[in-house]
Amino acid sequence: MAIVPLSEAVRELVRDGDVVALEGFTHLIPHAAGHEIVRQRKRDLTLVRMTPDVVYDQLIGMGCARKLVFSWGGNPGVGSLHRLRDAVEHGWPAPLELEEHSHAGMAAAYAAGAAHLPFGVLRGYRGGDLPARTRVARIACPFTGEELAAVPAHRPDVGIVHAQQADRRGNVQLWGIVGVQKEAVLASARSIVTVEEIVDELEPRPGGVVLPAWVVDAVCLAPGGAHPSYAHGFYERDNDFYLAWDAISRDRDRFRAWMQRHVLDTADVAEYHASLAAEAAAV
Amino acid sequence: MAIVPLSEAVRELVRDGDVVALEGFTHLIPHAAGHEIVRQRKRDLTLVRMTPDVVYDQLIGMGCARKLVFSWGGNPGVGSLHRLRDAVEHGWPAPLELEEHSHAGMAAAYAAGAAHLPFGVLRGYRGGDLPARTRVARIACPFTGEELAAVPAHRPDVGIVHAQQADRRGNVQLWGIVGVQKEAVLASARSIVTVEEIVDELEPRPGGVVLPAWVVDAVCLAPGGAHPSYAHGFYERDNDFYLAWDAISRDRDRFRAWMQRHVLDTADVAEYHASLAAEAAAV
Amino acid sequence: MSRDGGYTADEMMAVEAARRLRDGAVCFVGIGLPSLAANLARRTHAPGCVLVYESGTIGAKPSMLPLSIGDGELAETADAVVSVPEMFAYWLQGGRIDVGFLGAAQIDRHGNLNSTVIGPYEAPAVRLPGGGGAPEIALGVRDVFVMLRHSPRAFVSRLDFTTSLGDNVRVVVTDLGLLEPVDGELTLVAVHPGVSVEQVRAATGWDLRIACDLRETEPPTQAELEALRALRTKGAR
Amino acid sequence: MSRDGGYTADEMMAVEAARRLRDGAVCFVGIGLPSLAANLARRTHAPGCVLVYESGTIGAKPSMLPLSIGDGELAETADAVVSVPEMFAYWLQGGRIDVGFLGAAQIDRHGNLNSTVIGPYEAPAVRLPGGGGAPEIALGVRDVFVMLRHSPRAFVSRLDFTTSLGDNVRVVVTDLGLLEPVDGELTLVAVHPGVSVEQVRAATGWDLRIACDLRETEPPTQAELEALRALRTKGAR
């Protein structure tokens, strides 16, 4: 593990064509890392994520993705992801292959990946049209004969998550809603963790999940790096942004202009926040 | 969930012939509950436990068990469990059927039980003589063809654990080394939790595992109920006791006398501790 | 959407759904109307109702309506916060949830739901968010409550895609009334005050069965409306 | 067990095993001699050595030698404490452990171990504790270190029961010397100071191969002994 700038981590650990999982279930979504992937114009990524919300809408709209592996692709509490829809419905800016799962299937696939098993087992994918459209197999219990579903394990090339803290040795702690982040990191061949702050010593927290330094490849300081998602104990969810995103993302030109101004024309998460603040002040 | 005396919980929830899991990995071993099972002379139990240490040595020696499902049966850091050995080697006080697993297999079986799956999958039970002596099957990954092991899920009739705290509504919190206790409770049809104290409100702890009241059948106040095991934050492991147990348990008569004096002739965990204290004072 | 008596159709839906929750029920709650209904129940007749959000919060007690299923207040007020894999494995699949709320873009007469696509899967007219937790919620909880606004586009004779099965659907609460399965087919069992059977038929894309003992739901009480609006003014936007 | 030079055979074993641990190695540690060796390494040349106990404690830094693998100090000083199912699934099976220590009652020339029974399984002369974590540790870590006192009863030509396989055994540290696999068979590669090859042969139940470049181990240094004894006086009994 090394504590490095985010730009360096993305440059060295994310390669064109990689299978990349940015995780964070509503909470601690690694937006700063997503922006850096956009800035470095990574291409042909297979993006894995249970809930590809705004972070993947941006990556898809900017043409970074070839395929999406997901279970729920909406703007939470708001509605559609217009860039995701445009890619699927109209192939803009590029066609997007879909591999669609249920939440339970995605969670089992990550857990299997973390456990270094080739598949996860669940009582799911029974009936309906989803099983025919995704990667799932039936498997019989060798003791009872019951038929269950098997999903292939997620083993991303790179897992990326955001956390509240790391210590100087690179041990990471996150708390609050911890989602599937531990599994995403442990299932991945390489991993990047962006953090709100680097402290001398981690203080154990109720509900804290600790990732030891030796399972993480790069720790990057990125305060505010979850915005518009939130970091429990640091800042709240920017609900207004999610609502505003609906209008920004609805129009291709407006989306591109927004990404140019706030992501491509900024160097890092600090400039991104300054850019948003400047825009807000100008209104 | 109801907060009831331990004697009542054991009377109503543990039945002769039941499959019973008392869990606690070195830490928080539910000895008070084990003693109550001895006092009530429960019979023909199938005892499930990863590490059947002193608590099961006592139950086996007192004739409560018909079968043992386990992965490591020793006195940790000391040596043999003499009552377990006597039952297996000489059928005293009764023959004991064994179903033997590895730790990984036991953990996967509990996790499968908690997840309401009929089996758990692991990369294990490869080679050696154990697979032929236990309940395990081979299962092929439907995607890669890799052969893995399947273990039947543990679904005990009763799961019994010890925890530091419950609140007045019966929500339970344990912390420190949390072992397989959550899985043991969730895998079981019925459950009993003994606790060090009952508080108005649980204060979330680092590393705390919470069992909501509605997944527990009975919460019983049993301060000191883990002795000679320990309760993190309450009292330490009685290492001297584990050493002393070697001599006590080596001899059938001495074992029986000890159990008579400190368990059968005591009514509850308070009297058990008083009895131990009286003996120590008399030395 | 305002109606006679000073309440909206959404408020009527939320109130009626809330009434169906028994005290102590463990509910798997999605965002939006289901969350509103479950939180209302907890603040009125069912204070012991346990709210479980798929983000991993068990026993959440939000003071205001969360905008997302992962709002910070859910974690802060929960009895326990677990990982998402644990939530789906030990809690939902573990059979510990009594009631699950589902919404959808389309429903058929058997309570099957579509939240995946409008049009063909490979070339959809509208790509919807997808199933999320719905496929396993639909079969993993004892009772499924569906909340869906009535329209011929939503209540269809044939789904474009079957995302989740209707086997455990016990009630569909709409802005017009209540449907329950009778002999395997959703049947109109109640209309909200002021709603006619013809209105409901017109808003349903199949030949809707009407219960012979069709009843009218009770309008929201003042207490229900106040509790509901307190939740919304604090939280909704 | 005291020897010339003022150290015991167990101390020699612990010191020699500790020396094999590289700094930064992630070690799955059992109780007793393995725990002593790993803790010694962490206090001498390998301060970055990560101790993982199967009780779920990752990165434990005990100040004294724990009597059990679940002592409270392990949890208090750990970087992370995880559940036992997670330990075996995500950490051991996940392939994150470099070195695993194993002990046993019997070992054969291939490094296979028996910790299950002496005598037939159904009617054992001695019922041993059983495999515990060993079967999956033996195949799930990169390097297995075995620590075992030398005797013909322990070093047998045929195991009464094969509890774990020897595929990944890299070294067997005994009170007499070191054995390493050479062409698939454990071979004596070093003797401890003052030990003769004949002594080792006599304590081995098969015709032991001797490495042509047999060497003698270095006796414990003063620093090693002091660190070791500091651990033991504080913790051991």
Side-chain angles (χ1 to χ4, degrees):
Chain A
M1 194 292 314
I3 297 179
V4 296
L6 177 55
S7 58
E8 185 183 324
V10 169
R11 187 170 308 112
E12 301 196 351
L13 296 170
V14 182
R15 296 154 199 170
D16 287 352
D18 269 356
V19 178
V20 181
L22 279 73
E23 277 297 350
F25 205 85
T26 306
H27 178 215
L28 292 175
I29 300 174
H31 274 270
H35 291 163
E36 189 56 33
I37 291 171
V38 168
R39 281 187 203 106
Q40 296 192 21
R41 299 179 188 281
K42 302 289 181 185
R43 285 296 177 269
D44 294 321
L45 302 178
T46 291
L47 295 176
V48 183
R49 180 170 163 74
M50 293 185 69
T51 56
D53 39 33
V54 171
V55 64
Y56 276 16
D57 212 35
Q58 296 178 344
L59 284 162
I60 291 164
M62 294 304 284
C64 301
R66 183 185 71 69
K67 180 177 174 180
L68 177 66
V69 182
F70 77 111
S71 41
W72 192 86
N75 183 342
V78 178
S80 286
L81 292 176
H82 299 292
R83 295 301 94 222
L84 166 58
R85 282 187 55 183
D86 205 8
V88 174
E89 295 169 14
H90 311 109
W92 191 93
L96 184 69
E97 186 185 338
L98 296 186
E99 179 182 322
E100 187 160 3
H101 287 276
S102 66
H103 277 351
M106 286 288 283
Y110 273 122
H116 199 220
L117 289 174
F119 67 102
V121 176
L122 69 158
R123 188 175 287 106
Y125 296 87
R126 288 178 292 173
D129 292 327
L130 186 58
R133 295 287 180 184
T134 192
R135 295 172 71 208
V136 64
R138 306 307 295 178
I139 192 165
C141 171
F143 307 101
T144 65
E146 182 184 354
E147 283 247 320
L148 296 144
V151 287
H154 288 329
R155 299 302 305 260
D157 297 305
V158 195
I160 305 179
V161 304
H162 186 71
Q164 282 101 332
Q165 295 181 325
D167 67 19
R168 297 191 192 289
R169 295 174 296 153
N171 298 302
V172 168
Q173 185 173 220
L174 51 143
W175 63 91
I177 288 171
V178 296
V180 72
Q181 281 100 306
K182 177 187 272 189
E183 285 78 11
V185 166
L186 295 182
S188 297
R190 305 185 288 280
S191 61
I192 300 172
V193 182
T194 55
V195 295
E196 288 297 324
E197 64 179 13
I198 292 172
V199 297
D200 288 331
E201 199 74 39
L202 295 178
E203 175 205 335
R205 300 271 181 166
V209 163
V210 171
L211 296 167
W214 46 278
V215 300
V216 175
D217 290 290
V219 167
C220 311
L221 184 61
H227 178 271
S229 167
Y230 71 106
H232 202 122
F234 285 75
Y235 47 91
E236 298 204 342
R237 192 169 187 268
D238 187 351
N239 287 331
D240 289 332
F241 185 96
Y242 282 88
L243 292 165
W245 185 253
D246 189 71
I248 294 166
S249 62
R250 212 174 266 271
D251 179 84
R252 291 176 183 173
D253 292 336
R254 189 170 168 198
F255 163 75
R256 283 229 163 136
W258 192 94
M259 291 298 291
Q260 185 70 42
R261 176 172 180 181
H262 299 297
V263 178
L264 293 177
D265 289 350
T266 62
D268 57 23
V269 67
E271 289 192 12
Y272 160 79
H273 279 286
S275 170
L276 289 181
E279 184 181 46
V283 171
Chain B
M1 194 290 315
I3 299 179
V4 296
L6 177 55
S7 58
E8 185 183 325
V10 169
R11 188 169 306 114
E12 299 197 351
L13 296 170
V14 181
R15 296 156 199 170
D16 286 354
D18 270 356
V19 178
V20 181
L22 278 71
E23 276 297 351
F25 206 85
T26 305
H27 177 215
L28 290 175
I29 299 174
H31 274 271
H35 291 164
E36 189 55 34
I37 291 171
V38 168
R39 280 186 205 108
Q40 296 192 19
R41 302 181 186 278
K42 301 288 181 184
R43 285 296 177 270
D44 293 321
L45 302 179
T46 291
L47 294 176
V48 183
R49 182 171 162 74
M50 293 184 69
T51 55
D53 39 33
V54 172
V55 62
Y56 276 16
D57 212 35
Q58 296 179 343
L59 284 162
I60 292 165
M62 293 304 284
C64 302
R66 184 185 70 70
K67 180 176 175 181
L68 176 68
V69 182
F70 77 111
S71 40
W72 192 85
N75 183 343
V78 178
S80 286
L81 291 176
H82 299 290
R83 295 299 96 225
L84 167 57
R85 282 187 56 181
D86 204 8
V88 174
E89 295 169 13
H90 311 109
W92 191 93
L96 184 68
E97 187 185 337
L98 295 185
E99 179 182 321
E100 185 159 2
H101 287 276
S102 66
H103 277 351
M106 285 288 283
Y110 272 123
H116 198 217
L117 289 173
F119 66 102
V121 177
L122 70 158
R123 189 175 286 104
Y125 295 87
R126 288 178 291 173
D129 293 327
L130 185 57
R133 293 287 179 184
T134 190
R135 294 172 71 207
V136 63
R138 307 306 297 175
I139 192 164
C141 171
F143 307 102
T144 65
E146 182 184 353
E147 283 246 322
L148 296 143
V151 286
H154 287 329
R155 301 302 305 263
D157 296 306
V158 195
I160 304 179
V161 304
H162 187 71
Q164 282 99 335
Q165 293 180 324
D167 67 18
R168 297 194 191 286
R169 296 174 296 153
N171 297 303
V172 168
Q173 185 174 220
L174 51 144
W175 65 91
I177 288 172
V178 296
V180 73
Q181 283 98 307
K182 178 188 272 191
E183 286 77 11
V185 166
L186 295 182
S188 297
R190 306 184 288 280
S191 60
I192 299 172
V193 182
T194 54
V195 295
E196 288 297 324
E197 62 179 13
I198 291 172
V199 297
D200 288 331
E201 199 75 39
L202 294 178
E203 176 204 335
R205 300 273 179 164
V209 163
V210 171
L211 296 166
W214 45 278
V215 300
V216 175
D217 289 289
V219 168
C220 311
L221 183 61
H227 179 270
S229 168
Y230 71 107
H232 202 120
F234 285 75
Y235 47 92
E236 299 203 342
R237 192 169 187 273
D238 186 351
N239 288 331
D240 289 331
F241 185 95
Y242 282 90
L243 293 166
W245 185 253
D246 190 69
I248 295 166
S249 62
R250 212 175 266 273
D251 180 83
R252 292 176 185 172
D253 292 336
R254 187 165 170 202
F255 162 75
R256 283 229 165 136
W258 192 95
M259 291 298 290
Q260 184 71 43
R261 173 171 183 183
H262 298 296
V263 178
L264 293 176
D265 290 350
T266 62
D268 57 23
V269 66
E271 289 192 11
Y272 161 78
H273 279 286
S275 170
L276 290 181
E279 183 179 47
V283 173
Chain C
M1 295 265 272
S2 153
R3 285 184 178 278
D4 294 345
Y7 56 90
T8 68
D10 276 6
E11 286 173 337
M12 183 71 234
M13 283 174 78
V15 165
E16 194 55 34
R19 289 170 178 164
R20 307 285 293 228
L21 281 180
R22 67 168 178 76
D23 196 17
V26 179
C27 309
F28 211 80
V29 182
I31 219 57
L33 279 172
S35 181
L36 189 59
N39 277 287
L40 176 60
R42 209 174 59 78
R43 276 148 189 283
T44 51
H45 68 284
C49 180
V50 178
L51 308 191
V52 179
Y53 289 81
E54 65 192 9
S55 55
T57 54
I58 296 172
K61 293 166 270 296
S63 66
M64 53 189 195
L65 210 62
L67 182 67
S68 86
I69 49 141
D71 276 19
E73 205 197 3
L74 299 179
E76 276 159 15
T77 62
D79 293 326
V81 180
V82 303
S83 75
V84 165
E86 179 180 325
M87 173 56 67
F88 282 95
Y90 289 1
W91 299 87
L92 178 60
Q93 183 174 271
R96 272 167 264 278
I97 315 289
D98 299 313
V99 177
F101 284 94
L102 293 176
Q106 295 181 331
I107 186 170
D108 70 13
R109 69 182 71 205
H110 305 297
N112 300 314
L113 301 175
N114 172 20
S115 54
T116 303
V117 284
I118 303 296
Y121 185 83
E122 295 292 0
V126 181
R127 175 63 228 197
L128 302 166
E136 281 78 23
I137 293 170
L139 295 182
V141 304
R142 212 174 47 203
D143 300 324
V144 173
F145 291 8
V146 178
M147 297 181 76
L148 196 55
R149 291 184 193 94
H150 233 119
S151 86
R153 293 200 319 183
F155 285 70
V156 297
S157 64
R158 192 184 165 82
L159 300 179
D160 288 359
F161 190 98
T162 302
T163 308
S164 69
L165 301 185
D167 303 28
N168 297 336
V169 170
R170 307 295 173 219
V171 65
V172 180
V173 181
T174 84
D175 50 345
L176 301 182
L178 305 181
L179 289 74
E180 291 178 1
V182 177
D183 298 333
E185 181 167 329
L186 290 176
T187 302
L188 185 69
V189 296
V191 288
H192 295 320
V195 174
S196 73
V197 169
E198 274 324 297
Q199 259 181 288
V200 187
R201 278 195 205 272
T204 305
W206 69 81
D207 187 14
L208 181 65
R209 285 193 197 164
I210 313 296
C212 38
D213 57 345
L214 182 76
R215 61 184 181 83
E216 190 174 277
T217 56
E218 293 292 321
T221 65
Q222 203 53 38
E224 285 169 333
L225 280 179
E226 275 167 23
L228 188 62
R229 287 167 186 169
L231 272 169
R232 300 202 82 154
T233 37
K234 275 208 225 156
R237 326 184 43 98
Chain D
M1 294 266 275
S2 155
R3 284 183 178 282
D4 293 347
Y7 56 91
T8 68
D10 276 5
E11 286 174 337
M12 183 70 234
M13 283 174 78
V15 165
E16 193 55 33
R19 289 168 177 165
R20 307 286 292 229
L21 279 181
R22 65 167 180 76
D23 197 14
V26 179
C27 309
F28 211 82
V29 183
I31 220 55
L33 278 172
S35 181
L36 188 59
N39 276 290
L40 176 60
R42 208 173 60 75
R43 275 148 190 286
T44 52
H45 68 283
C49 180
V50 178
L51 307 192
V52 179
Y53 289 81
E54 65 191 9
S55 56
T57 54
I58 297 172
K61 294 167 270 295
S63 67
M64 53 188 196
L65 210 62
L67 181 67
S68 86
I69 50 144
D71 275 18
E73 203 195 3
L74 299 178
E76 274 159 17
T77 62
D79 293 327
V81 180
V82 303
S83 74
V84 164
E86 179 179 326
M87 172 55 67
F88 282 94
Y90 289 1
W91 299 86
L92 178 60
Q93 182 175 270
R96 273 167 262 280
I97 314 289
D98 300 315
V99 178
F101 285 94
L102 293 177
Q106 295 180 331
I107 185 170
D108 70 13
R109 69 181 73 205
H110 305 298
N112 301 315
L113 301 176
N114 173 19
S115 52
T116 303
V117 284
I118 302 297
Y121 185 83
E122 295 292 359
V126 182
R127 174 63 227 197
L128 302 166
E136 282 78 23
I137 293 170
L139 296 180
V141 305
R142 212 174 48 203
D143 301 324
V144 173
F145 291 9
V146 177
M147 298 182 76
L148 196 57
R149 293 186 190 94
H150 233 118
S151 86
R153 293 201 318 179
F155 286 69
V156 297
S157 64
R158 188 185 170 83
L159 301 179
D160 288 358
F161 190 97
T162 302
T163 309
S164 70
L165 301 185
D167 302 29
N168 298 335
V169 170
R170 307 297 172 218
V171 65
V172 180
V173 182
T174 84
D175 50 344
L176 300 182
L178 304 181
L179 288 74
E180 291 178 1
V182 177
D183 300 331
E185 179 166 332
L186 289 176
T187 303
L188 185 69
V189 297
V191 289
H192 295 318
V195 174
S196 73
V197 169
E198 274 324 298
Q199 257 182 288
V200 186
R201 277 196 206 272
T204 305
W206 69 82
D207 186 15
L208 181 66
R209 286 194 196 161
I210 313 297
C212 39
D213 58 346
L214 183 76
R215 59 183 182 82
E216 189 174 279
T217 56
E218 292 292 321
T221 66
Q222 203 52 37
E224 285 169 333
L225 280 180
E226 275 167 22
L228 189 63
R229 288 168 185 170
L231 272 169
R232 300 202 81 155
T233 35
K234 274 207 223 157
R237 327 184 42 99

